[in-house]
Amino acid sequence: KRGEILIPEITVVPTGVVANADTPPELEIRFDMVPPTPNFDDINAPLPANWQLRFIQNQLYHKFKYPSRFTPGAFHSTILRKAEFRSPSARTAYFKKCQGAVDKWLDRGTKPLIPLNVDDSIQVVNCTRREPRSGDSEEDVQLDDDRDDDGMDSYYRSG
């Protein structure tokens, strides 16, 4: 039996470093979906950076019927709690340096998250973009020109 949560190869790129609204703030590295909406008009347009995070999140919401379906903010990781700077100019210099690092990551593009050990039970299949079908919602990322015998979309599947 195949898994019910479809997990594509995950490639990510950081999109920013920000201070949240807490006092003192936490510093967070963000992984926004860029652009925030896929180009539904051009089947050959690349998918947005970090689309896999939203794709997996949407499946989890649908699977577990999470009633409020709210996740505050972008996908992020806290890198520092209770940040304090010596001066406003030190804060400006810090975020300028962070933006330089993020810009270099963005120039290099997304990179795959590669596990140290690959589980032999994971089936790897092709994953490509496909034309929307009736019943698809605009928030769904449309994938798959290859279809398996069972009619399921092609992704990484466990089981």
Side-chain angles (χ1 to χ4, degrees):
K1 182 181 178 201
R2 294 181 183 221
E4 294 181 23
I5 302 295
L6 306 175
I7 303 173
E9 177 182 39
I10 299 172
T11 60
V12 296
V13 64
T15 56
V17 175
V18 299
N20 70 11
D22 294 352
T23 304
E26 294 179 346
L27 302 185
E28 302 170 345
I29 188 164
R30 295 174 56 108
F31 298 89
D32 296 302
M33 192 167 88
V34 179
T37 304
N39 181 348
F40 292 110
D41 297 326
D42 180 2
I43 191 71
N44 296 314
L47 292 169
N50 303 325
W51 67 268
Q52 300 94 333
L53 302 174
R54 181 75 57 203
F55 179 75
I56 294 168
Q57 178 188 45
N58 286 342
Q59 289 182 84
L60 293 172
Y61 284 155
H62 289 286
K63 172 68 177 166
F64 297 112
K65 297 177 178 47
Y66 188 62
S68 68
R69 288 190 179 170
F70 176 72
T71 304
F75 290 95
H76 69 275
S77 178
T78 299
I79 56 176
L80 178 68
R81 297 190 187 282
K82 299 184 180 183
E84 294 187 32
F85 295 91
R86 290 187 298 257
S87 67
S89 63
R91 178 187 167 114
T92 300
Y94 177 82
F95 282 106
K96 183 176 180 180
K97 187 171 184 174
C98 288
Q99 189 58 52
V102 168
D103 289 344
K104 288 178 185 175
W105 282 326
L106 289 168
D107 288 344
R108 288 192 305 251
T110 60
K111 299 294 177 200
L113 298 179
I114 302 171
L116 294 176
N117 300 307
V118 177
D119 184 339
D120 291 335
S121 70
I122 295 176
Q123 176 188 5
V124 179
V125 293
N126 291 332
C127 182
T128 56
R129 194 157 179 186
R130 70 162 168 81
E131 291 285 346
R133 297 187 188 118
S134 65
D136 287 340
S137 74
E138 282 200 10
E139 70 182 28
D140 292 333
V141 174
Q142 310 306 322
L143 300 174
D144 181 39
D145 281 338
D146 295 338
R147 291 186 65 81
D148 292 347
D149 294 347
D150 62 5
M152 303 250 334
D153 290 345
S154 297
Y155 305 96
Y156 285 18
R157 295 190 180 122
S158 61

